[in-house]
Amino acid sequence: MKAAVLTGVDTPLEIRDDVEVAGPGPGEVQIRVAASGVCHSDLSVQNGTIPLPTPIVLGHEGAGVVEEVGEGVTSVAPGDHVVLSFVPSCGTCYTCTRQQGFLCEQAAMQAMGGLLDGTTRLTSGGAPLHQMACLGTFGSTAIVPAISMVKIPEDVPLEVAALIGCGVLTGVGAALNTADIRAGDTVAVLGCGGVGLNVIQGAKIAGAEHIVAVDRFDAKLDMARDFGATDVVNAGERDAGGAVGELTGGRGADVAFEVIGLKSTMEQAISMVRPGGEAVLVGVPRMDVMLELNAAFTFLYLNKTVKGCWYGSANVAEDVPKLLGLWKAGQLKLEELISREIGVEDVNEAFTAMEKGEVARSVIRYDG
Ligand code: APR
Ligand code: ZN
């Protein structure tokens, strides 16, 4: 099969036609990948922000059709349509049974770049290829754990379903699950990419009255308005903290989300929330980033809460149907997130378009 392979940090993805796929092992499922979003986290593996072993098939935001199931798999059957989850969720471990499926204990193996037993089902030129997030949706076929998917109705277009797998679950989940947004709140969102736009639409659903979108590209700020932002700030032209202060009579935002992954904007998000407010950190920083916060003011005198947000604090088995329900009810924009449909051979150009701020999401479509 054809796949986009990262062979080393800071090198372009190679498009290979010779990738061989071993059949699904016990507890695994073979997926015909129909569509995959190109997310900033894929680019972050390429540039070394997220360290993963190479060579690796990237891609972690996908949907497709079950082709074959391995021994013991009863949750899905051939022909089922599924959203792939970039965090496996077993439903039975300590964290899963505490409503924290996004921290499933089975997910620890993902850092090795293989499936749950540490090995991969892909080879190219006789050498093993790793799979990002136990998935690897930059390939037209994927062998993945059965606990890394949620069955969906067949009338949901698979390119729409793909986006749920990362950007929508993460962004909308940050607003609905992680944060405590109250009706009438002022919310700031730093970074209006594929994930940040979903934080914005989640904040709107949660009842925020003022949603201040911050980005360095005006085109992104236009998209932010379409997704529910009431005010926009171009960070290259104005200080975002000052702008949020002006909009709130000097008080600060009730909730601020950082959806970029930089030290400076994380610290800015924390500083722009009001006393008693909360900052939610969604963006994935480099591994060596340390934050500098004044302990007395941040946590004591101003009593701020700083929350991390992994995978939108989602429990995928419940949240995927919930998000599809919101979409069907016209409350969630999904088609509008797709700026471009591309072939897998165009993935390097999609990375460039993302860095230039040209797209909300590029979505790879596979033939057949
Ligand atoms: N100030 C303001 N906006 C910025 C800045 C900055 N210094 N740097 C980047 N941005 C904006 C970009 O212009 C872009 O619109 O942040 C947005 C990031 O969006 P994408 O590149 O589309 O990334 P996305 O897929 O949304 O992911 C965002 O969440 O899941 C994580 O790893 C992911 O850390 C990444 C973050
Ligand atoms: Zn992602």
Side-chain angles (χ1 to χ4, degrees):
M1 65 120 173
K2 193 173 187 179
V5 179
L6 177 73
T7 57
V9 169
D10 282 337
T11 61
L13 302 197
E14 287 177 18
I15 310 304
R16 298 208 185 153
D17 284 316
D18 70 337
V19 178
E20 290 187 20
V21 185
E28 295 170 3
V29 175
Q30 180 166 322
I31 303 290
R32 177 177 68 74
V33 182
S36 172
V38 178
C39 170
H40 204 104
S41 295
D42 300 303
L43 178 62
S44 292
V45 178
Q46 187 199 39
N47 69 27
T49 299
I50 298 175
L52 282 176
T54 55
I56 184 167
V57 177
L58 299 182
H60 63 281
E61 183 179 84
V65 180
V66 173
E67 283 186 326
E68 192 185 334
V69 300
E71 192 190 314
V73 175
T74 55
S75 51
V76 290
D80 284 352
H81 288 205
V82 293
V83 167
L84 298 175
S85 168
F86 83 74
V87 178
S89 181
C90 72
T92 56
C93 72
Y94 188 85
T95 39
C96 279
T97 52
R98 278 156 186 78
Q99 281 294 300
Q100 292 177 314
F102 55 98
L103 293 173
C104 174
E105 291 175 355
Q106 298 262 0
M109 283 306 286
Q110 288 183 301
M112 310 287 290
L115 297 187
L116 299 177
D117 66 356
T119 64
T120 166
R121 303 289 162 265
L122 306 178
T123 48
S124 168
L129 289 180
H130 295 94
Q131 300 173 232
M132 181 176 180
C134 297
L135 302 177
T137 57
F138 288 178
S140 56
T141 301
I143 307 292
V144 308
I147 59 171
S148 296
M149 66 192 66
V150 179
K151 188 178 165 181
I152 56 166
E154 285 182 24
D155 62 353
V156 181
L158 287 165
E159 71 278 14
V160 163
L163 300 182
I164 292 179
C166 175
V168 181
L169 272 166
T170 301
V172 179
L176 295 185
N177 299 333
T178 316
D180 250 317
I181 297 175
R182 299 181 195 196
D185 272 358
T186 295
V187 167
V189 180
L190 282 66
C192 303
V195 183
L197 293 171
N198 282 299
V199 175
I200 291 170
Q201 57 176 345
K204 186 177 171 188
I205 293 167
E209 187 176 344
H210 301 285
I211 302 174
V212 188
V214 181
D215 204 283
R216 55 187 173 155
F217 292 115
D218 286 331
K220 286 301 182 69
L221 295 173
D222 292 340
M223 291 181 203
R225 279 195 192 278
D226 293 339
F227 279 79
T230 55
D231 299 271
V232 299
V233 178
N234 185 318
E237 294 166 7
R238 277 162 82 197
D239 169 56
V244 168
E246 271 173 40
L247 286 162
T248 54
R251 194 171 51 238
D254 297 293
V255 184
F257 295 86
E258 201 278 354
V259 205
I260 305 166
L262 298 174
K263 170 183 164 73
S264 59
T265 44
M266 288 180 160
E267 290 171 351
Q268 189 175 42
I270 295 164
S271 85
M272 68 167 62
V273 302
R274 67 168 171 82
E278 63 180 27
V280 180
L281 306 183
V282 184
V284 180
R286 295 191 75 88
M287 300 291 262
D288 56 358
V289 167
M290 308 291 278
L291 297 183
E292 287 167 85
L293 302 171
N294 181 288
F297 276 93
T298 308
F299 298 108
L300 278 301
Y301 301 128
L302 300 181
N303 212 181
K304 298 184 181 187
T305 301
V306 180
K307 290 179 175 174
C309 171
W310 183 237
Y311 208 9
S313 309
N315 290 293
V316 289
E318 295 158 24
D319 284 337
V320 169
K322 180 171 135 187
L323 293 173
L324 286 172
L326 286 167
W327 170 67
K328 284 215 156 160
Q331 291 189 58
L332 202 61
K333 292 180 194 291
L334 296 181
E335 292 91 340
E336 294 84 346
L337 288 163
I338 304 174
S339 309
R340 290 178 192 168
E341 291 199 5
I342 61 170
V344 70
E345 57 281 355
D346 305 319
V347 67
N348 288 303
E349 289 74 22
F351 279 170
T352 308
M354 179 161 48
E355 284 181 301
K356 286 188 182 163
E358 292 172 0
V359 291
R361 272 289 190 260
S362 299
V363 175
I364 297 168
R365 297 300 310 265
Y366 297 96
D367 301 331

